[in-house]
Amino acid sequence: MKAQPADHPLNGLLRTERIPHIWCPGCGIGTAFSACLTALLNSGMDLTKTAMVSGIGCSGRAAGYVKLDSYHTTHGRAIPFATGMKLARPELNVVVFSGDGDLFAIGGNHFIHGARRNVDLTVVCVNNFNYGMTGGQCSATTPREAQVESGFLNRLEAPLDICRVAAAAGAGFAARVSGYDPLLSERMQQAIRHDGFALVDIWGICPGRYGKRNPISPGSINAALDRLPDLTDTLAANARDEYGRAYREEAAKLVAPAPPALIEARFPPPQGGRREILLLGSAGQRIITAGEILCLAAATAGLHATQKNDYPITVMRGHSVSEVVCSDRPIDYTGIDRPNLVVALAQEGVARKAGIFRELGPDTVILKARDVSLPDTSGTILELDFKALGIRSQDRALAALGELADRRLVLTRDMLGAALQLRFSGRLLDAALKQLEAGGNSPAVVG
Amino acid sequence: MMQARWGSHGHYEIIALAPASPQELFHLTITAFNLSETYRLPVLVMADEVVGHLSERVVIPPAAAVKTRERVPASGRRDRYKPFQRGACGVAPMAAAGAGYAVHVSGLTHDERGYPDMSAAGQEKMMTWLTEKIRANRDKIIQTESYRLDDAEIAIVSYGISARSSLAAVDEARAAGIRAGLLRLVTVWPFPEELIRDLAGRVRALVTVELNLGQIHLEVERCARGQAPAILVGHAGGAVIPPEEIVARLSAVSRT
């Protein structure tokens, strides 16, 4: 191959020291690449603020030849890479240049979400209907009747009309164009000008692989393109705000959250040493909130506290367990093997930790709801009849904390009140305080 | 742990940090960014499930009190800049996109200009450099904490939440007359090889406590070079390793 001529009009945009390139003679990538460079030159954009991002494959090598900030990224990931770049540096013009295998097969999911998200990217795809670099296997756009190196596989799958996918996914600009169309560069300029996600799907010939066994020519490409449905109306209906700008506008409206509260030690703790508390309940009983309140209460007495929760991945069914450790020394081991205190508010939570009850001695206090039954245990049982007291299931945990505070087990009324002030505000705080007051008149009985 | 170290093909060095508490998770995340900026390298923050799900007091310092480091930017003549030419500490100054340097970045093995160079000589040069950049700075990167190690007969090596069980186990073992100590790995990769080797030369046994069936344990065994037996206290996860289990093993080791 000849060396790059010194007076080539695109030399300013080429890493001429890397020429000759690797592409086969007659490959559609060359035409598409030079049309893309011409479009960039004619766009009037500041080219020092323009970046090209490629994936993997023959077309993916384009980034290695263009004299811009250029990134040859992992297979299928050019669009997420470009998305990050455009969001971090909105002043950049970002062009993705890659092939059908990279963008639509390996990176198909990123492509769909790129179109849906509408970040201002120009995606230039050289669509040559196969994975050329790896030997001519079928890609997402291989026609069913084509002969490719992966045997019959392409005959079983429908090829993607990627512009239709882009339109369905929300792109505002998607153009199918033959790599031999004299207006190719103009179409690319339109895509570059489009404020949002824009796709140029360039149908080209892979002479080294696909073209060897499949009769394909500029004429057959034009005929195939003509048979595809027009997308003008769908694309027009997708017009909307560019993602990055909309994101920055929305983010600017957000008020910075207040810094986290600095909790002062204000109260003497009711006991010294390490206390392990197990809260056992079911979904919706606010067990985890109760664990948080317990930790906050501990902090108001200058104690260290850890909380580890256990619930099924969903939140509206099953057990809800919170393990809390409070200590006047820094907490090393965060597990609970022999709790000092067990609060049993629902059968689901008890079932989850059924194994521990046998191990408990009389020094462990178990505060249980009357309608919950426990496995055999030597723990000291206190019982609360929530139903008789008219306490709703979702209020049991807070009522139980009130009971513990009255008995000065782990926390006091002062600590609990201060913790509620830290955890809640407004109406929720009033409701919690009121509920606590009501519960305070109905002590638990030894079960 | 090993996926962090060897999660990709080919050879490279990586930095991975193992926080043992939510507070440390906060600080090590800042450290990770700083290391990443300093060495131009991805840094992994390896919070285990318990540290990741634990609620505990975290003090967030004012932003002005947080020390941050930034990468060395590209400077000088644009036509002479090579994006992968070694600078101070073996790290190449980095040009940001849009700074006018027209850099090329590729996942392929590359030369100083960033251009693909798959030759054996090219790979040797690039990979040796990338490896050396971390190896030569190990002392600056590696952080560990020692607890009652000075006169220890048995050294525990642990990291993450298991290091907190180990801390409790050291005190319990000491109370029972067993001279145990703890080396907590804050930095897991690069691995503190010299430290483990020295430790192995002066203790009766090395006990690795970790939430798996023996990964860092094998590294400890390798670095001990037969000077002291390496013993594993590990389980497959789902709960924190109780200190009693560690003490029982320390006790068994001390009797041998």
Side-chain angles (χ1 to χ4, degrees), chain A residues 15 17-18 48-51 61 63-65 67-73 85 89 91-92 260 262-263 295 299 302-303 305-309 329 331-335 337, chain B residues 49-51 53-60 78 95-108 113 115-116 147 161 164-165 167-168 171 240-244:
Chain A
R15 299 180 187 272
E17 70 275 28
R18 294 211 64 213
T48 62
K49 299 285 179 200
T50 302
R61 293 300 180 98
Y65 299 119
K67 201 161 155 186
L68 297 172
D69 286 316
S70 57
Y71 301 87
H72 181 218
T73 67
M85 186 173 242
R89 293 185 177 269
E91 75 277 15
L92 295 177
L262 200 65
I263 305 172
C295 289
L303 300 176
T306 63
Q307 181 187 13
K308 178 90 172 28
N309 304 317
R329 291 189 52 234
I331 296 164
D332 36 40
Y333 176 52
T334 58
D337 302 318
Chain B
E49 184 273 337
V50 183
V51 170
H53 284 155
L54 196 67
S55 295
E56 201 168 24
R57 180 194 289 256
V58 174
V59 179
I60 297 175
R78 291 179 180 174
Y101 284 88
V103 291
H104 180 58
V105 178
S106 173
L108 299 173
R113 299 168 300 173
Y115 296 166
Y147 181 65
I161 196 67
R164 291 173 67 161
S165 297
L167 205 61
D171 286 343
V240 187
I241 299 174
E244 293 73 33

Side-chain angles (χ1 to χ4, degrees), chain B:
Chain B
M1 302 310 294
M2 291 299 161
Q3 193 181 18
R5 178 68 188 86
W6 299 115
S8 178
H9 58 282
H11 203 108
Y12 55 89
E13 293 290 324
I14 201 83
I15 299 176
L17 310 172
S21 68
Q23 179 73 67
E24 196 176 34
L25 183 52
F26 177 86
H27 284 306
L28 287 186
T29 304
I30 296 167
T31 304
F33 273 97
N34 286 343
L35 287 169
S36 184
E37 291 285 322
T38 305
Y39 294 106
R40 197 172 172 176
L41 184 83
V43 175
L44 293 119
V45 181
M46 311 276 291
D48 54 58
E49 184 273 337
V50 183
V51 170
H53 284 155
L54 196 67
S55 295
E56 201 168 24
R57 180 194 289 256
V58 174
V59 179
I60 297 175
V66 174
K67 283 187 190 154
T68 57
R69 291 201 57 160
E70 304 239 347
R71 68 198 69 180
V72 179
S75 59
R77 276 180 56 170
R78 291 179 180 174
D79 54 339
R80 289 192 185 160
Y81 170 72
K82 290 181 183 163
F84 300 96
Q85 190 168 39
R86 302 177 64 153
C89 292
V91 181
M94 194 168 173
Y101 284 88
V103 291
H104 180 58
V105 178
S106 173
L108 299 173
T109 311
H110 45 268
D111 62 17
E112 290 175 337
R113 299 168 300 173
Y115 296 166
D117 180 358
M118 310 302 283
S119 68
Q123 306 223 24
E124 175 79 15
K125 186 177 175 197
M126 178 59 59
M127 301 326 290
T128 305
W129 165 37
L130 291 180
T131 305
E132 273 311 305
K133 137 176 118 168
I134 299 308
R135 288 189 179 169
N137 290 297
R138 297 161 57 82
D139 292 347
K140 286 188 217 160
I141 297 168
I142 294 173
Q143 288 183 55
T144 59
E145 274 181 14
S146 298
Y147 181 65
R148 303 181 84 166
L149 258 189
D150 287 345
D151 64 338
E153 282 187 340
I154 305 172
I156 299 175
V157 179
S158 191
Y159 56 93
I161 196 67
S162 307
R164 291 173 67 161
S165 297
S166 302
L167 205 61
V170 167
D171 286 343
E172 285 176 33
R174 289 264 173 179
I178 301 164
R179 280 195 289 158
L182 168 68
L183 177 70
R184 181 168 80 89
L185 309 180
V186 179
T187 312
V188 175
W189 307 117
F191 198 67
E193 300 189 2
E194 294 81 2
L195 209 56
I196 302 282
R197 192 167 66 228
D198 294 348
L199 204 52
R202 58 187 175 87
V203 296
R204 286 176 52 198
L206 291 160
V207 177
T208 303
V209 182
E210 58 181 334
L211 274 177
N212 57 55
L213 302 180
Q215 295 183 15
I216 293 305
H217 162 63
L218 294 178
E219 285 295 292
V220 171
E221 188 170 50
R222 175 178 69 82
C223 297
R225 295 187 178 179
Q227 301 175 88
I231 292 152
L232 169 70
V233 177
H235 70 64
V240 187
I241 299 174
E244 293 73 33
E245 199 177 318
I246 305 167
V247 174
R249 188 62 64 88
L250 296 176
S251 175
V253 170
S254 74
R255 286 195 301 270
T256 55

Side-chain angles (χ1 to χ4, degrees), chain A residues 102-285:
Chain A
D102 183 71
L103 285 168
F104 307 148
I106 306 265
N109 197 24
H110 296 303
F111 177 82
I112 289 168
H113 292 285
R116 194 175 70 78
R117 195 163 285 131
N118 200 35
V119 174
D120 184 17
L121 303 176
T122 306
V123 179
V124 177
C125 175
V126 182
N127 185 351
N128 61 12
F129 318 107
N130 77 143
Y131 282 96
M133 185 175 266
T134 54
Q137 295 84 359
C138 60
S139 80
T141 59
T142 310
R144 297 183 73 167
E145 63 277 13
Q147 299 288 323
V148 289
E149 298 303 318
S150 40
F152 59 80
L153 294 177
N154 62 294
R155 297 207 295 274
L156 311 181
E157 298 177 335
L160 280 183
D161 171 1
I162 201 63
C163 284
R164 199 143 38 134
V165 172
F173 187 104
R176 309 179 192 100
V177 54
S178 163
Y180 310 96
D181 189 326
L183 295 175
L184 178 57
S185 190
E186 278 71 21
R187 293 296 271 162
M188 287 194 201
Q189 272 201 62
Q190 288 171 8
I192 289 168
R193 278 199 299 273
H194 179 77
D195 183 27
F197 187 91
L199 168 70
V200 188
D201 175 23
I202 304 165
W203 290 30
I205 297 172
C206 171
R209 304 288 191 192
Y210 187 81
K212 284 207 159 165
R213 294 172 69 188
N214 297 285
I216 180 169
S217 66
S220 71
I221 285 175
N222 283 337
L225 287 173
D226 285 345
R227 285 195 293 273
L228 293 171
D230 181 75
L231 302 169
T232 312
D233 293 345
T234 318
L235 294 168
N238 286 338
R240 64 195 188 283
D241 285 345
E242 191 272 330
Y243 181 92
R245 202 167 45 250
Y247 181 99
R248 288 186 293 280
E249 280 170 15
E250 288 297 325
K253 291 181 211 158
L254 297 177
V255 180
L262 200 65
I263 305 172
E264 306 281 354
R266 293 150 59 192
F267 309 112
Q271 291 100 19
R274 175 182 168 116
R275 284 283 177 276
E276 300 179 353
I277 304 104
L278 202 49
L279 304 174
L280 307 176
S282 63
Q285 282 191 316

Side-chain angles (χ1 to χ4, degrees), chain A residues 37-53:
Chain A
L37 298 190
T38 305
L40 288 171
L41 273 179
N42 294 341
S43 69
M45 296 189 304
D46 178 355
L47 294 181
T48 62
K49 299 285 179 200
T50 302
M52 183 179 282
V53 182

